[in-house]
Amino acid sequence: GAVVSQHPSWVICKSGTSVKIECRSLDFQATTMFWYRQFPKQSLMLMATSNEGSKATYEQGVEKDKFLINHASLTLSTLTVTSAHPEDSSFYICSARDFIGTSGIDTQYFGPGTRLTVL
Amino acid sequence: GQNIDQPTEMTATEGAIVQINCTYQTSGFNGLFWYQQHAGEAPTFLSYNVLDGLEEKGRFSSFLSRSKGYSYLLLKELQMKDSASYLCAVRDRVSSGSARQLTFGSGTQLTVLP
């Protein structure tokens, strides 16, 4: 099946610093990637849709200047949390859309997630 | 928009069968997905339904009724490793300028007891 990697798997940073998270599709090209956030015991909340070569589309309530998304190639999207604060501590998960379909269907495959803790 | 409901928790015994229900209300529908998520890990894809009926995949099966806005995930011969959260997700119909997105339910935490 399609494989998506994420780096780092966990990060601890001080309040006010910026953190970059990378999401890579390893064995397929993904024109579309999605960034989710998940708080403990809650479901995944879509933050933004990242399209290769164009600006990301953010969900209502998500600050685009705080969560910078860059999708520079068909296999890489990055999420930068700028000026992080303790309330940004969460589990961030990316997914990549496998449109051509290694599984035979148009679906999303998830990365392993990045646990961010802001002190 | 989408509204997706599924039970918060379920408990079953090893070797048994369990059915996890999901109901949805949607302004557009382009498929329903089931994902499994173990604690602290990302979701993994289990099944996909876009037409009415049952899709079987080994110990897991998923059913869809579009007219009723209803799906279920059936797990047979439960194993301890099946203890996880099961997420129902509905994909929007493609709208102009936007990619197809998944909206997730809150997840059903399944506990399998020995």
PDB file of all heavy atoms in Angstrom, chain A residues 8-23:
ATOM      1  N   PRO A   8       9.424  15.612  12.270  1.00  0.00           N
ATOM      2  CA  PRO A   8       9.795  14.576  13.231  1.00  0.00           C
ATOM      3  C   PRO A   8       8.566  13.846  13.779  1.00  0.00           C
ATOM      4  O   PRO A   8       7.449  14.277  13.550  1.00  0.00           O
ATOM      5  CB  PRO A   8      10.475  15.378  14.342  1.00  0.00           C
ATOM      6  CG  PRO A   8       9.768  16.702  14.302  1.00  0.00           C
ATOM      7  CD  PRO A   8       9.455  16.955  12.855  1.00  0.00           C
ATOM      8  N   SER A   9       8.774  12.767  14.500  1.00  0.00           N
ATOM      9  CA  SER A   9       7.653  12.043  15.091  1.00  0.00           C
ATOM     10  C   SER A   9       7.203  12.711  16.382  1.00  0.00           C
ATOM     11  O   SER A   9       6.045  12.590  16.778  1.00  0.00           O
ATOM     12  CB  SER A   9       8.026  10.581  15.342  1.00  0.00           C
ATOM     13  OG  SER A   9       9.188  10.512  16.142  1.00  0.00           O
ATOM     14  N   TRP A  10       8.132  13.405  17.042  1.00  0.00           N
ATOM     15  CA  TRP A  10       7.735  14.189  18.202  1.00  0.00           C
ATOM     16  C   TRP A  10       8.719  15.340  18.364  1.00  0.00           C
ATOM     17  O   TRP A  10       9.874  15.258  17.953  1.00  0.00           O
ATOM     18  CB  TRP A  10       7.679  13.343  19.476  1.00  0.00           C
ATOM     19  CG  TRP A  10       8.965  12.687  19.850  1.00  0.00           C
ATOM     20  CD1 TRP A  10       9.411  11.462  19.472  1.00  0.00           C
ATOM     21  CD2 TRP A  10      10.004  13.246  20.681  1.00  0.00           C
ATOM     22  NE1 TRP A  10      10.641  11.218  19.994  1.00  0.00           N
ATOM     23  CE2 TRP A  10      11.042  12.282  20.755  1.00  0.00           C
ATOM     24  CE3 TRP A  10      10.158  14.445  21.372  1.00  0.00           C
ATOM     25  CZ2 TRP A  10      12.199  12.494  21.485  1.00  0.00           C
ATOM     26  CZ3 TRP A  10      11.311  14.661  22.108  1.00  0.00           C
ATOM     27  CH2 TRP A  10      12.324  13.684  22.146  1.00  0.00           C
ATOM     28  N   VAL A  11       8.228  16.434  18.935  1.00  0.00           N
ATOM     29  CA  VAL A  11       9.079  17.598  19.144  1.00  0.00           C
ATOM     30  C   VAL A  11       8.593  18.363  20.360  1.00  0.00           C
ATOM     31  O   VAL A  11       7.394  18.497  20.581  1.00  0.00           O
ATOM     32  CB  VAL A  11       9.108  18.488  17.881  1.00  0.00           C
ATOM     33  CG1 VAL A  11       7.721  18.945  17.482  1.00  0.00           C
ATOM     34  CG2 VAL A  11      10.029  19.681  18.060  1.00  0.00           C
ATOM     35  N   ILE A  12       9.560  18.837  21.125  1.00  0.00           N
ATOM     36  CA  ILE A  12       9.281  19.685  22.282  1.00  0.00           C
ATOM     37  C   ILE A  12       9.977  21.008  22.033  1.00  0.00           C
ATOM     38  O   ILE A  12      11.164  21.034  21.688  1.00  0.00           O
ATOM     39  CB  ILE A  12       9.802  19.050  23.580  1.00  0.00           C
ATOM     40  CG1 ILE A  12       9.137  17.687  23.809  1.00  0.00           C
ATOM     41  CG2 ILE A  12       9.532  19.971  24.771  1.00  0.00           C
ATOM     42  CD1 ILE A  12       9.720  16.909  24.978  1.00  0.00           C
ATOM     43  N   CYS A  13       9.255  22.103  22.177  1.00  0.00           N
ATOM     44  CA  CYS A  13       9.867  23.400  21.918  1.00  0.00           C
ATOM     45  C   CYS A  13       9.405  24.416  22.954  1.00  0.00           C
ATOM     46  O   CYS A  13       8.434  24.195  23.684  1.00  0.00           O
ATOM     47  CB  CYS A  13       9.526  23.888  20.513  1.00  0.00           C
ATOM     48  SG  CYS A  13       7.791  24.321  20.288  1.00  0.00           S
ATOM     49  N   LYS A  14      10.106  25.518  22.986  1.00  0.00           N
ATOM     50  CA  LYS A  14       9.759  26.601  23.903  1.00  0.00           C
ATOM     51  C   LYS A  14       8.710  27.504  23.266  1.00  0.00           C
ATOM     52  O   LYS A  14       8.652  27.656  22.042  1.00  0.00           O
ATOM     53  CB  LYS A  14      10.993  27.423  24.260  1.00  0.00           C
ATOM     54  CG  LYS A  14      12.011  26.676  25.090  1.00  0.00           C
ATOM     55  CD  LYS A  14      13.172  27.589  25.444  1.00  0.00           C
ATOM     56  CE  LYS A  14      14.194  26.869  26.325  1.00  0.00           C
ATOM     57  NZ  LYS A  14      15.337  27.763  26.665  1.00  0.00           N
ATOM     58  N   SER A  15       7.909  28.102  24.090  1.00  0.00           N
ATOM     59  CA  SER A  15       6.884  29.036  23.621  1.00  0.00           C
ATOM     60  C   SER A  15       7.546  30.167  22.837  1.00  0.00           C
ATOM     61  O   SER A  15       8.584  30.695  23.238  1.00  0.00           O
ATOM     62  CB  SER A  15       6.127  29.590  24.823  1.00  0.00           C
ATOM     63  OG  SER A  15       5.044  30.390  24.404  1.00  0.00           O
ATOM     64  N   GLY A  16       6.966  30.489  21.690  1.00  0.00           N
ATOM     65  CA  GLY A  16       7.485  31.577  20.869  1.00  0.00           C
ATOM     66  C   GLY A  16       8.371  31.128  19.719  1.00  0.00           C
ATOM     67  O   GLY A  16       8.672  31.922  18.811  1.00  0.00           O
ATOM     68  N   THR A  17       8.791  29.886  19.738  1.00  0.00           N
ATOM     69  CA  THR A  17       9.629  29.373  18.651  1.00  0.00           C
ATOM     70  C   THR A  17       8.758  28.793  17.538  1.00  0.00           C
ATOM     71  O   THR A  17       7.550  28.630  17.693  1.00  0.00           O
ATOM     72  CB  THR A  17      10.598  28.300  19.155  1.00  0.00           C
ATOM     73  OG1 THR A  17       9.839  27.204  19.699  1.00  0.00           O
ATOM     74  CG2 THR A  17      11.506  28.862  20.243  1.00  0.00           C
ATOM     75  N   SER A  18       9.400  28.496  16.403  1.00  0.00           N
ATOM     76  CA  SER A  18       8.694  27.918  15.262  1.00  0.00           C
ATOM     77  C   SER A  18       9.132  26.478  15.053  1.00  0.00           C
ATOM     78  O   SER A  18      10.280  26.129  15.303  1.00  0.00           O
ATOM     79  CB  SER A  18       8.966  28.739  13.994  1.00  0.00           C
ATOM     80  OG  SER A  18       8.422  30.034  14.122  1.00  0.00           O
ATOM     81  N   VAL A  19       8.215  25.684  14.591  1.00  0.00           N
ATOM     82  CA  VAL A  19       8.474  24.259  14.369  1.00  0.00           C
ATOM     83  C   VAL A  19       8.010  23.879  12.969  1.00  0.00           C
ATOM     84  O   VAL A  19       6.892  24.213  12.573  1.00  0.00           O
ATOM     85  CB  VAL A  19       7.717  23.396  15.408  1.00  0.00           C
ATOM     86  CG1 VAL A  19       7.870  21.918  15.096  1.00  0.00           C
ATOM     87  CG2 VAL A  19       8.195  23.715  16.809  1.00  0.00           C
ATOM     88  N   LYS A  20       8.867  23.169  12.243  1.00  0.00           N
ATOM     89  CA  LYS A  20       8.512  22.709  10.901  1.00  0.00           C
ATOM     90  C   LYS A  20       8.305  21.205  10.902  1.00  0.00           C
ATOM     91  O   LYS A  20       9.139  20.454  11.416  1.00  0.00           O
ATOM     92  CB  LYS A  20       9.593  23.069   9.891  1.00  0.00           C
ATOM     93  CG  LYS A  20       9.263  22.597   8.459  1.00  0.00           C
ATOM     94  CD  LYS A  20      10.402  22.830   7.487  1.00  0.00           C
ATOM     95  CE  LYS A  20      10.463  24.248   7.027  1.00  0.00           C
ATOM     96  NZ  LYS A  20      11.425  24.433   5.905  1.00  0.00           N
ATOM     97  N   ILE A  21       7.210  20.774  10.298  1.00  0.00           N
ATOM     98  CA  ILE A  21       6.893  19.349  10.187  1.00  0.00           C
ATOM     99  C   ILE A  21       6.840  18.998   8.711  1.00  0.00           C
ATOM    100  O   ILE A  21       6.209  19.698   7.918  1.00  0.00           O
ATOM    101  CB  ILE A  21       5.531  19.031  10.844  1.00  0.00           C
ATOM    102  CG1 ILE A  21       5.530  19.460  12.309  1.00  0.00           C
ATOM    103  CG2 ILE A  21       5.215  17.544  10.719  1.00  0.00           C
ATOM    104  CD1 ILE A  21       4.150  19.396  12.959  1.00  0.00           C
ATOM    105  N   GLU A  22       7.522  17.911   8.344  1.00  0.00           N
ATOM    106  CA  GLU A  22       7.550  17.478   6.950  1.00  0.00           C
ATOM    107  C   GLU A  22       6.662  16.263   6.730  1.00  0.00           C
ATOM    108  O   GLU A  22       6.610  15.359   7.563  1.00  0.00           O
ATOM    109  CB  GLU A  22       8.984  17.125   6.536  1.00  0.00           C
ATOM    110  CG  GLU A  22       9.921  18.295   6.472  1.00  0.00           C
ATOM    111  CD  GLU A  22      11.279  17.903   5.907  1.00  0.00           C
ATOM    112  OE1 GLU A  22      11.529  16.691   5.742  1.00  0.00           O
ATOM    113  OE2 GLU A  22      12.094  18.800   5.635  1.00  0.00           O
ATOM    114  N   CYS A  23       6.021  16.238   5.583  1.00  0.00           N
ATOM    115  CA  CYS A  23       5.174  15.113   5.194  1.00  0.00           C
ATOM    116  C   CYS A  23       5.578  14.689   3.783  1.00  0.00           C
ATOM    117  O   CYS A  23       5.592  15.519   2.863  1.00  0.00           O
ATOM    118  CB  CYS A  23       3.710  15.539   5.223  1.00  0.00           C
ATOM    119  SG  CYS A  23       2.544  14.269   4.677  1.00  0.00           S
TER     120      CYS A  23
END
